[in-house]
Amino acid sequence: MDKNSIILFNPMPVEHPVAIPNKMTTSLQVPLVNVPLSLLALGRMVRDEFNVKIVNAVVDNDYKKNIIHDSKNALCLAVSSMTCYQISDGIDTCKAVKELYPQLPVIWGGYHPSTEPLQTLKNPYIDIVIRGQGEIPFKEIVKKIRKNESLHGIRGVSYKEGGKIIENPGQKFKALDSFPPIAYDMIDVERHVKGYKFANRCIDYYSSMGCAAGCDFCSEPLFCGSRWSGLPPETVVSELEYLAKTYDIDTFMIRDSDFFINVKRVKEICRLMIGKNMGIRLTSVNGRMEQLSRMDDEVWGLLRKAGIHEIFIGFESGLQEALDAMNKGARTSQIKMCINKCIEHDIDIRGSFMVGIPGVDAKEEVTSTFDEIHKIISAYGTMGKLKHMDILLSFFTPYPHTRLYEASVKNGLKPLNTLEEWGDFDQFDFKAPWFSQVYFDITRDFRAGMPMNSGCGFEEWCGFYEGIKKRLGRI
Ligand code: B12
Ligand code: SF4
């Protein structure tokens, strides 16, 4: 390491003890090993001029020791963080580094610092925060640091100077194709290759950034201002082709927030993939149910042919009132429409639901959501195709400055006033003060009993669900 070296760090997303040995997170279905796309997105901007070292806690043993060692002569340490345990792990690491090298500039970016920049900067081990897309501001910052110049005027940047916190104006959302391509050769790809359902060799990829919707529980609208930008179809397909050949990849886990927003683009990507007969699969491809339920059969027909084998939809709730309370802009009837389309076109479904929305009647919410999930399990179960569906069921979790965070505080959530408090906040199974223990417990039991978590067959599931319904009736 030398003064031209930049350390980019992705801390551990979970502390949960089961998650680590299983290499799974959240519902225990979601792989924890992921390509650190955020860091690759930054690294591509500076790799020509700087020596970039990427550290991903999930795959790098001794990551803390190595970061401390490499910090000795580095130009800066840059940390990416969502609102989760990454904050705590990030703080611990930065503290250890700053105790030895107090002059080393520490930069934070990602969803949490972007939505809570001031609280983040109040932490004594963090000097600079980038709000929103990192590419351009990060490049400008490291050049300024190298020349020992002020960060004054760099858009999207908040920083400490002379004992004060300074917030520069925000930046505009930039088109994704204005940046150089993501360079996977900055990491040891082999250590990020995972198995997933039908995949033997799967890695992560993203073709777009942002989301045009405005769900009130989600950080995305705050982060990207409801803007969206996608790479041109030719670029997407040629990048996938290159990665598949170079790293012998059979499946890509697509990390877009809203892949299907531009149907013309989706069609073109599919046509190009079909034309090239690439033999690769795309999984976990994220779409909004209101869009997918309206998408015509011509497009649905292309998806599977092109290799889209699994679609990921945030259904969120079986109760219309809950969907409205979260400003989802969707109808519960669209859940069935999407499921039918997926079944018809032989595309696996991964759907996520949550309960515990503030201001919504818990009994109605839980009952309707369980019913909706049961309908999905039944649709697949009666065909003997349970392996083609996956349901993630979680508890509503408040994120900084979202409308539902404010509603949560009104409903009894103790406000989170520091970065440390956000780091300690349980993202795994958040027990909201307004969501009573009986509904919390029954939701956990229901989730554990779902076929994808318990391994049970359809008939056994139906018996189990009858029991859950009786129990719900008694509450
Ligand atoms: C992959 C992913 C994961 C992976 C891990 C990713 C990782 N970093 O290790 C896994 C599956 C583990 C994961 C977990 C969770 N995730 Co997640 N995840 C994503 C996803 C789909 C893609 C992230 C990505 O790589 N994007 C591509 C890169 C290029 O974009 P980016 O990360 O935004 O990076 C850009 C900027 O943010 C910025 N930037 C990022 N880091 C840094 C660092 C520095 C120093 C700088 C300067 C800039 C910078 O610059 C980058 C380039 O512009 C996003 C949604 C999305 N489409 O982004 C959700 C998302 C980030 N996840 C989210 C959430 C909520 C979670 C969970 C907390 C959910 C939960 N309760 O279980 C969990 C974490 C804890 C747990 N229980 O597992 C939210 C974040 C909300 C928030 N306030 O933090 C998102 C936005 C989804 C959503 N819409 O709600 N996630
Ligand atoms: S559609 Fe998904 S990514 Fe977009 S705002 Fe809603 S929850 Fe967030």
Side-chain angles (χ1 to χ4, degrees), residues 10-23:
N10 188 48
M12 270 307 278
V14 282
E15 187 187 20
H16 201 281
V18 264
I20 296 153
N22 287 349
K23 293 272 188 243

Side-chain angles (χ1 to χ4, degrees), residues 70-91:
D70 291 345
S71 293
K72 188 168 181 206
N73 294 309
L75 182 73
C76 61
L77 166 63
V79 180
S80 178
S81 186
M82 301 179 285
T83 309
C84 64
Y85 182 69
Q86 284 198 307
I87 297 175
S88 302
D89 195 31
I91 295 176

Side-chain angles (χ1 to χ4, degrees), residues 35 37 182 184 203-208 231-232 235-240 243 252-256 259 265 282:
V35 172
L37 295 170
I182 290 282
Y184 284 67
I203 56 168
D204 307 272
Y205 175 83
Y206 70 110
S207 82
S208 72
L231 292 173
T235 309
V236 174
V237 176
S238 67
E239 287 187 354
L240 291 174
L243 292 170
F252 290 90
M253 190 167 275
I254 303 299
R255 292 314 200 163
D256 302 26
F259 181 81
R265 173 177 175 272
L282 307 187

Side-chain angles (χ1 to χ4, degrees), residues 124-189:
Y125 312 113
I126 302 170
D127 306 301
I128 303 162
V129 160
I130 290 182
R131 310 178 322 258
Q133 288 171 298
E135 285 86 347
I136 304 291
F138 186 67
K139 187 173 179 174
E140 289 183 32
I141 283 179
V142 289
K143 285 185 172 176
K144 294 279 185 192
I145 293 176
R146 185 165 57 183
K147 291 194 207 147
N148 212 5
E149 287 176 1
S150 163
L151 307 183
H152 176 76
I154 306 179
R155 294 184 84 98
V157 176
S158 305
Y159 60 105
K160 286 175 188 160
E161 198 174 71
K164 280 201 218 132
I165 291 180
I166 298 170
E167 276 211 289
N168 290 347
Q171 50 169 329
K172 285 202 180 111
F173 189 75
K174 316 259 178 350
L176 220 49
D177 63 350
S178 61
F179 306 131
I182 290 282
Y184 284 67
D185 65 348
M186 283 189 289
I187 52 167
D188 178 356
V189 172

